[in-house]
Amino acid sequence: MSDQDNPLKAGSSREWNWHPDLPVAVTPVFSWPPRPIATVKWFVGNWLPVTEYLVYALMAVATWYWLQPSLEETQTLHWGWVLQVWLRNLVLMTLFAQGLHVWLYGWKKQGEDYKYDRRGIATNNRNFKFNDQYWDNVFHSLVSGVTIWTGYEVLMWAAFANGWTPMITFEGSPIWFVALFLLIPVIQSFHFYWLHRALHIPFIYRRVHSVHHRSVSIAPWSGFSMHPIEHLGYMSLLLMFFIVPAHPVHLIFMGYWLALATATSHAGFENLVLGESSKLKIGSFHHQLHHRYFECNYGNPEMPWDNWFGSYHDGSPEATAATRERKKKMYS
């Protein structure tokens, strides 16, 4: 798999155990001149045949029908249904993050195949709570992350139930109902980029965002491991449904995209190998580059904000040199 002579070809290199073909691809949706065929292919490729987007959408529908308290019940704040939502989120976060952790790092079911970083999870390191990256990440993800996620979700359930927010149905607005599923990852990318740029302001970084960046070699629990203030900002995107007409299933999908998807995007692997030949793309090398070089790729591939504002790292040696030079100027 190694190809030391061509650092842009998928495989191993001097810096990486494995990387995809470079440069890292970003969405063609906002290309100029427009690229309609590439845009359609991008959307189709992100949803079909079986992708993370589709999995979270189907989970959201199932949750709405079988695991969510009724809107009549959520009209009034009560610990019964609030606890039900919190437990549901806690269980799902644990299943996703711990399931991936056990498969990839505990049982090592696919060894080092498609693993980005050669390094492992930190242990006996005083930078982390309990001197251990795994337990530090679990603590922040569950105690702070799930609780704040649930708090925002509870507020929005009360809003839907009491008519404080515009609510649609599939029968009444079928085109917008479907289109919103396609747009949510793009909207999230806009919010994430600008929040993330703010978190890298040195004063804020040292006091807040550094908690997330302790995990240089990331693993499934690392993605949702943040300072509570960062959780408050990151999950605040759920409040968009006070303005954007939506069905409650979109709220659930957005919550899963914000929280559960951090386990896959920070898994440290490009693909999850299922059987002898099947694999599911889970990783984000675009964000892996951010964890390696810090001052680049503040957004994600769903919108090319980094390309537009000069913080894009495409994975090439030239981009690494440019990022290091920019970092020197930022902290000089």
Side-chain angles (χ1 to χ4, degrees):
M1 192 180 287
S2 176
D3 194 342
Q4 300 287 343
D5 297 326
N6 183 0
L8 302 184
K9 182 179 179 181
S12 63
S13 66
R14 293 177 181 86
E15 290 189 301
W16 301 100
N17 175 66
W18 191 89
H19 64 76
D21 284 325
L22 303 175
V24 176
V26 295
T27 173
V29 175
F30 300 93
S31 298
W32 191 261
R35 299 167 57 199
I37 295 176
T39 297
V40 171
K41 287 182 177 178
W42 182 82
F43 273 112
V44 171
N46 276 290
W47 283 91
L48 299 172
V50 177
T51 66
E52 268 196 274
Y53 291 161
L54 184 60
V55 169
Y56 295 134
L58 294 175
M59 284 179 57
V61 172
T63 299
W64 169 245
Y65 280 108
W66 295 306
L67 297 175
Q68 174 59 34
S70 68
L71 290 182
E72 291 77 12
E73 189 176 355
T74 63
Q75 281 185 318
T76 305
L77 193 64
H78 186 273
W79 284 111
W81 71 264
V82 171
L83 184 60
Q84 180 182 338
V85 174
W86 180 79
L87 283 173
R88 182 189 72 208
N89 293 341
L90 184 78
V91 169
L92 286 173
M93 192 73 233
T94 301
L95 286 175
F96 265 74
Q98 188 63 16
L100 280 170
H101 176 84
V102 170
W103 183 269
L104 296 171
Y105 294 89
W107 296 338
K108 297 183 182 293
K109 284 292 186 178
Q110 59 190 71
E112 302 293 302
D113 290 351
Y114 301 108
K115 186 176 187 295
Y116 298 133
D117 204 314
R118 291 187 175 90
R119 292 168 293 185
I121 300 171
T123 57
N124 299 318
N125 187 324
R126 282 183 282 183
N127 288 326
F128 297 98
K129 280 184 173 61
F130 320 111
N131 297 329
D132 187 280
Q133 178 181 336
Y134 169 79
W135 288 112
D136 176 279
N137 292 172
V138 171
F139 175 84
H140 284 99
S141 296
L142 297 184
V143 175
S144 172
V146 169
T147 302
I148 291 171
W149 169 19
T150 302
Y152 278 124
E153 194 175 337
V154 165
L155 176 60
M156 290 312 307
W157 285 122
F160 276 120
N162 289 283
W164 305 336
T165 185
M167 179 174 164
I168 65 168
T169 63
F170 177 76
E171 292 76 16
S173 306
I175 295 176
W176 179 244
F177 186 96
V178 174
L180 191 52
F181 276 111
L182 303 179
L183 291 173
I184 279 175
V186 178
I187 295 169
Q188 187 270 335
S189 184
F190 169 82
H191 175 264
F192 179 60
Y193 180 82
W194 292 107
L195 172 68
H196 203 178
R197 285 300 298 254
L199 288 168
H200 274 262
I201 295 171
F203 178 85
I204 301 174
Y205 179 89
R206 289 192 297 270
R207 291 161 176 80
V208 177
H209 193 45
S210 60
V211 171
H212 180 69
H213 269 287
R214 290 172 187 166
S215 303
V216 178
S217 180
I218 55 178
W221 282 105
S222 304
F224 209 42
S225 177
M226 307 173 189
H227 190 285
I229 292 176
E230 183 170 353
H231 278 128
L232 284 169
Y234 180 71
M235 298 305 297
S236 68
L237 186 56
L238 294 175
L239 300 180
M240 66 174 260
F241 296 111
F242 271 118
I243 301 171
V244 178
H247 186 276
V249 76
H250 295 114
L251 170 68
I252 302 171
F253 176 70
M254 176 68 89
Y256 292 166
W257 186 246
L258 288 170
L260 302 185
T262 61
T264 50
S265 66
H266 289 73
F269 286 73
E270 175 82 0
N271 297 305
L272 184 65
V273 178
L274 305 169
E276 294 185 5
S277 58
S278 298
K279 57 182 182 287
L280 176 68
K281 185 182 185 309
I282 59 170
S284 172
F285 191 67
H286 185 278
H287 194 66
Q288 183 80 28
L289 287 162
H290 175 76
H291 273 268
R292 172 71 66 89
Y293 301 113
F294 286 60
E295 301 304 338
C296 64
N297 294 3
Y298 302 108
N300 52 41
E302 280 73 24
M303 282 190 77
W305 290 104
D306 289 291
N307 305 60
W308 295 339
F309 289 93
S311 53
Y312 178 49
H313 192 314
D314 64 5
S316 66
E318 293 78 12
T320 296
T323 299
R324 286 173 172 160
E325 186 63 29
R326 184 170 63 251
K327 187 175 180 180
K328 286 180 184 178
K329 291 179 180 178
M330 288 178 67
Y331 291 94
S332 60

